[in-house]
Amino acid sequence: MIENVNSTAASGTLVSLVRHGDIAVLRIANPPVNALSSEVVAGLAAAVDAFEADRSYAALLVHCEGRTFVAGGDITSFDDPDFSAALYNGTLGRIEALDRPVAAALHGTVLGGGLELALACHYRVAVPSTKLGLPEVKLGILPGSLGTQRLPRAAGIELALDLISSGRSIDTATALKAGIVDEVHEGKPLDVGLAYAQALVARDAAPRRLSAEVASTADLPADFFDKALADAVSRKAFYPSARNIVLAVQASTLPFAEGEAVEARLFEELRVSPESQAMRHLFFAERQAAKIPGLAKDVALRPIASVGILGAGTMGGGIAMNFANAGIPTVLVETSQAALDRGLGLVRANYEASAAKGRLTAVQVEQRMALLSGSLDDAALADCDLVIEAVFENMDLKKQVCARLGKVCKPGAIIATNTSTLDVDVLAEATGRPADVVGMHFFSPANVMRLLEVVRGAKTAPDVLATVMLVARRIGKVAAVSGVCYGFIGNRMAEVYMREAEFLMMEGASPAEIDSAVEALGMAMGPCRMLDMAGIDVGAKTVIEYGKAGGLPPDDSYRAVVRKMFELGRFGQKTGSGYYRYDGRKPVTDPETARIAKEQAEAHGIAQRADIGRQEIVERLLYPLINEGAKILEEGIAYRPGDIDIVWTAGYGFPDHQGGPMWMADRIGLTAIAERLAHYAQVRGNPFGYWTVSPLLARLANSGQRVSDWQGAAAFAEKRAAVWQGR
């Protein structure tokens, strides 16, 4: 029961000191996640001042209002050239140094600076659902408020290094066993915390300071840190955070003040590093991507309680798994029992493989399979709130399917097409109800890949777009909105990337040389390996459909290699040969590819040469891709440069430490890119406009601006939405 509120804490402030008998409750209330803003940090220092000054308090309890304990710091502050963690870290030191017991009442997510706050307290109690972690590595940094020093002293070096290096969260059972939390109790966090603090006072518990403990290496091999450092350097060469984390945790074996100094130095190195700046850019870009310019915040959403999927192939089954994982009943419709059984069997096999790895229990497998049903009659889709067609990428077939769905689906149901390249507006019109239609482009394997491209048609209703964006979050996807054009954001840019990969092959570069050039920058795999894995047949059919739609340039040499590979039945990994020959899943250089490329070069009058260097490969693959991204922005296909970066990092294996293609463009320099595009136009010729610099890129380069800062597409979208909605 609250007896009185400290007079220095006004109601509604972010941090206050509240009296509960002889327990002082340091209350943080900064919704939604109690982030450590500069105001909160200052408030913490003031609250500690007040507690120190009032000797009538027997103990201090740190408690957070709302749904979570402190879930992290203010990441925007890391870009401030005058950034300093001194006040917060000093306050944590003062909390730890208090001569009366200090407890933290943990609930929700205790992350980053929140866990560092908890570790500075003498004792920690949690409700059972609490999750704890230090995820800073996902931003290319390390915990900068003594997490690398206190956590090893609390949980041991091995677990601490694992948690900080991976950024993963743990549950209370693991935290209790490791000594990170002291007790776990059911109840409201404040009630649990007060009861625990009162028990500490009753037993006259003394302060217990992690800074006074020793991070022991007694149970570790003598070469533990040497091996950890070598592993970080070899396996995560693109991430300086991996190396610095090992060194910081190793410093926990030093006296605390020395370890603190090491952590501060290593943290600052990472904070100003280009890798961390790129990853922080993506952190904010992902959150911005969920915001739709011109879309009213109060738009009423359509209920999505059941989902139907037409097509139970690899893609359809993978899509279905997303909804089953989220607890949404889903029906799969196929044209034959054999295809349906095969599709559901593949889904079960995927779940059982996860169970074998300990990621699911047998009970969870059965629960998710129970949410899935199959039918050979599309009438089973009639009561679904959302229906997704996932049939082959063929315009005529998809138009037939969409026309049927327009008749079968109930009024108000959302109809989505999983097309990767086709015109969503044409498919929307085929349904007879285009306002209900949206593109939902899942990436393969759909149950694994994070990205969902949401394609807004010319007539897509605002509530449809808003609902699908919420559904994306519900099924754990990162969603980015694209307008309608060939290939949307990702595949439109991938098309120019693959185009140049094939021209390079015809000029004499091998698939291995092409792939290794961009993989050296951190790409998960180069273009040749990527298409071999996705299926050369899929890539070739996409080009064929593009041609039917009249989108191909009048260039006989365009994607000649992939079309020839398709003719020869070299479909990639699934047939054992594509750009590479495959030994299992291992790509092996195949002389036949060189022969095919040379044959196509001769047929199209392309001269082969032996002087294609790595830098030329990188420029010819990535600079046209960046240029296409600028065109996409100028046309209003993407709302923001960051949306393009999210598409490419979440869906195409573009390295997050490079920040995505548009962020990378600014690092390279727009002027340099424009100059090299002009260079290739001159030396290779430019009859089809492949090397023509986009007007936006040229304009930004000439004015010294950054493409990452350009907001013209979002502003245009807001105006367009206002007109369309009649505002």
Side-chain angles (χ1 to χ4, degrees):
M1 180 177 176
I2 298 177
E3 294 185 356
N4 67 284
V5 178
N6 186 293
S7 60
T8 63
S11 176
T13 55
L14 299 179
V15 181
S16 56
L17 202 65
V18 182
R19 179 178 291 277
H20 288 256
D22 60 354
I23 307 296
V25 176
L26 192 163
R27 182 180 65 189
I28 300 173
N30 186 25
V33 295
N34 291 312
L36 294 167
S37 65
S38 58
E39 293 83 3
V40 168
V41 171
L44 283 171
V48 173
D49 287 342
F51 178 77
E52 286 180 323
D54 192 336
R55 300 300 300 181
S56 68
Y57 289 122
L60 178 67
L61 176 69
V62 179
H63 164 68
C64 292
E65 293 287 332
R67 57 187 172 89
T68 185
F69 195 74
V70 172
D74 179 10
I75 298 168
T76 58
S77 66
F78 293 161
D79 290 326
D80 186 340
D82 298 321
F83 170 83
S84 173
L87 177 59
Y88 184 56
N89 292 0
T91 301
L92 296 187
R94 290 175 60 201
I95 289 172
E96 191 179 50
L98 290 170
D99 61 356
R100 289 162 284 175
V102 182
L106 308 180
H107 71 292
T109 51
V110 184
L111 301 175
L115 181 54
E116 289 172 307
L117 170 60
L119 290 169
C121 298
H122 305 145
Y123 300 92
R124 290 159 291 281
V125 64
V127 299
S129 59
T130 307
K131 301 290 183 183
L132 307 93
L134 292 172
E136 286 85 352
V137 68
K138 297 176 183 178
L139 297 175
I141 54 175
L142 54 75
S145 295
L146 291 307
T148 67
Q149 302 307 300
R150 289 193 175 99
L151 186 60
R153 289 168 165 83
I157 287 171
E158 193 166 14
L159 178 59
L161 181 58
D162 170 47
L163 293 179
I164 298 170
S165 295
S166 67
R168 68 184 179 92
S169 296
I170 56 173
D171 58 20
T172 50
T174 305
L176 183 64
K177 182 179 179 181
I180 300 171
V181 299
D182 300 293
E183 292 185 16
V184 178
H185 296 290
E186 292 277 5
K188 295 180 179 179
L190 180 58
D191 294 343
V192 167
L194 284 171
Y196 184 69
Q198 288 160 354
L200 290 175
V201 172
R203 71 170 191 260
D204 199 22
R208 189 185 59 179
R209 303 177 179 94
L210 284 172
S211 62
E213 303 292 329
V214 175
S216 175
T217 60
D219 296 331
L220 300 176
D223 61 351
F224 176 81
F225 283 112
D226 290 338
K227 284 187 174 180
L229 192 59
D231 183 62
V233 171
S234 63
R235 291 201 311 112
K236 298 183 178 179
F238 296 110
Y239 300 92
S241 56
R243 168 188 175 275
N244 281 20
I245 285 169
V246 175
L247 294 175
V249 172
Q250 186 174 22
S252 70
T253 62
L254 302 172
F256 192 80
E258 293 180 32
E260 181 176 3
V262 171
E263 181 193 270
R265 174 177 58 81
L266 295 173
F267 171 83
E268 185 60 17
E269 284 181 10
L270 297 175
R271 183 185 72 85
V272 299
S273 70
E275 292 84 2
S276 180
Q277 290 171 2
M279 294 168 78
R280 297 195 312 257
H281 157 69
L282 289 173
F283 175 86
F284 291 112
E286 184 173 319
R287 281 143 188 81
Q288 281 295 113
K291 299 175 182 178
I292 313 302
L295 190 66
K297 292 182 180 180
D298 59 351
V299 62
L301 302 179
R302 300 191 186 188
I304 304 295
S306 60
V307 173
I309 298 170
L310 188 61
T314 302
M315 180 60 76
I319 293 171
M321 290 177 69
N322 289 288
F323 293 100
N325 295 345
I328 302 172
T330 302
V331 59
L332 282 155
V333 173
E334 257 295 353
T335 56
S336 72
Q337 189 65 47
L340 183 60
D341 291 344
R342 186 166 55 249
L344 289 171
L346 183 60
V347 170
R348 177 174 283 280
N350 286 336
Y351 279 138
E352 289 178 347
S354 294
K357 295 173 184 175
R359 296 171 184 165
L360 293 175
T361 65
V363 171
Q364 287 174 317
V365 171
E366 295 308 320
Q367 287 173 337
R368 295 182 189 192
M369 288 303 301
L371 289 166
L372 300 175
S373 59
S375 177
L376 301 181
D377 186 352
D378 61 14
L381 304 171
D383 292 326
C384 295
D385 299 312
L386 167 65
V387 176
I388 303 169
E389 70 79 14
V391 301
F392 294 117
E393 191 77 348
N394 177 282
M395 178 59 88
D396 291 337
L397 174 61
K398 283 187 181 284
K399 283 172 67 176
Q400 292 173 18
V401 166
C402 286
R404 176 61 181 163
L405 292 179
K407 296 183 176 73
V408 170
C409 295
K410 67 183 181 181
I414 295 174
I415 301 173
T417 171
N418 181 52
T419 180
S420 58
T421 59
L422 301 177
D423 191 324
V424 170
D425 287 333
V426 170
L427 298 176
E429 291 297 338
T431 66
R433 42 197 281 192
D436 292 334
V437 179
V438 68
M440 292 181 72
H441 178 205
F442 289 84
F443 285 69
S444 184
N447 55 304
V448 175
M449 296 296 286
R450 295 173 64 230
L451 179 66
L452 177 66
E453 265 187 320
V454 176
V455 186
R456 69 181 196 280
K459 296 181 180 178
T460 300
D463 62 338
V464 168
L465 187 58
T467 300
V468 169
M469 292 298 285
L470 184 64
V471 166
R473 187 168 62 187
R474 188 174 169 189
I475 62 175
K477 297 298 183 188
V478 176
V481 175
S482 171
V484 175
C485 66
Y486 170 80
F488 318 128
I489 296 172
N491 280 342
R492 174 171 162 179
M493 293 171 69
E495 186 63 30
V496 299
Y497 181 65
M498 294 305 305
R499 178 195 76 205
E500 284 308 306
E502 292 203 13
F503 279 133
L504 284 162
M505 263 187 275
M506 286 189 278
E507 289 174 43
S510 70
E513 289 170 334
I514 293 167
D515 286 346
S516 65
V518 289
E519 287 169 7
L521 298 176
M523 289 289 284
M525 61 180 67
C528 303
R529 287 180 58 207
M530 181 179 73
L531 194 55
D532 269 359
M533 185 182 74
I536 281 180
D537 55 330
V538 176
K541 288 175 183 177
T542 296
V543 175
I544 292 166
E545 288 295 320
Y546 193 21
K548 288 180 182 178
L552 287 181
D555 177 4
D556 290 341
S557 64
Y558 185 90
R559 303 293 304 274
V561 177
V562 77
R563 287 186 277 129
K564 189 62 177 179
M565 292 275 191
F566 179 55
E567 284 178 26
L568 297 172
R570 295 171 65 94
F571 296 169
Q573 275 190 20
K574 58 182 139 187
T575 59
S577 65
Y579 292 120
Y580 295 92
R581 179 173 56 80
Y582 285 86
D583 181 6
R585 292 194 174 186
K586 181 182 177 183
V588 178
T589 297
D590 188 351
E592 182 65 7
T593 299
R595 187 197 67 76
I596 292 168
K598 184 177 181 181
E599 175 186 85
Q600 293 305 308
E602 291 172 350
H604 296 97
I606 297 172
Q608 290 207 314
R609 55 195 176 90
D611 61 343
I612 303 175
R614 175 166 286 189
Q615 184 60 28
E616 178 182 346
I617 292 171
V618 168
E619 291 177 354
R620 286 180 58 181
L621 290 178
L622 296 186
Y623 291 9
L625 181 147
I626 289 166
N627 194 43
E628 198 69 24
K631 294 177 185 177
I632 284 171
L633 285 171
E634 194 158 37
E635 294 168 19
I637 298 300
Y639 289 131
R640 293 160 285 249
D643 292 3
I644 294 175
D645 290 334
I646 289 299
V647 166
W648 271 81
T649 52
Y652 291 83
F654 202 95
D656 57 358
H657 69 270
Q658 298 282 10
M662 309 318 286
W663 181 266
M664 184 186 202
D666 288 324
R667 294 279 307 168
I668 295 168
L670 302 186
T671 301
I673 292 171
E675 287 174 351
R676 295 307 288 170
L677 289 169
H679 164 78
Y680 289 115
Q682 183 177 13
V683 299
R684 297 200 70 253
N686 193 31
F688 305 108
Y690 297 155
W691 301 102
T692 301
V693 179
S694 85
L696 175 62
L697 184 60
R699 192 163 64 248
L700 295 174
N702 291 335
S703 61
Q705 297 180 70
R706 288 162 42 92
V707 69
S708 297
D709 297 330
W710 193 72
Q711 296 296 323
F716 173 70
E718 287 184 349
K719 291 179 182 177
R720 182 170 55 190
V723 171
W724 187 73
Q725 295 177 41
R727 298 206 305 271

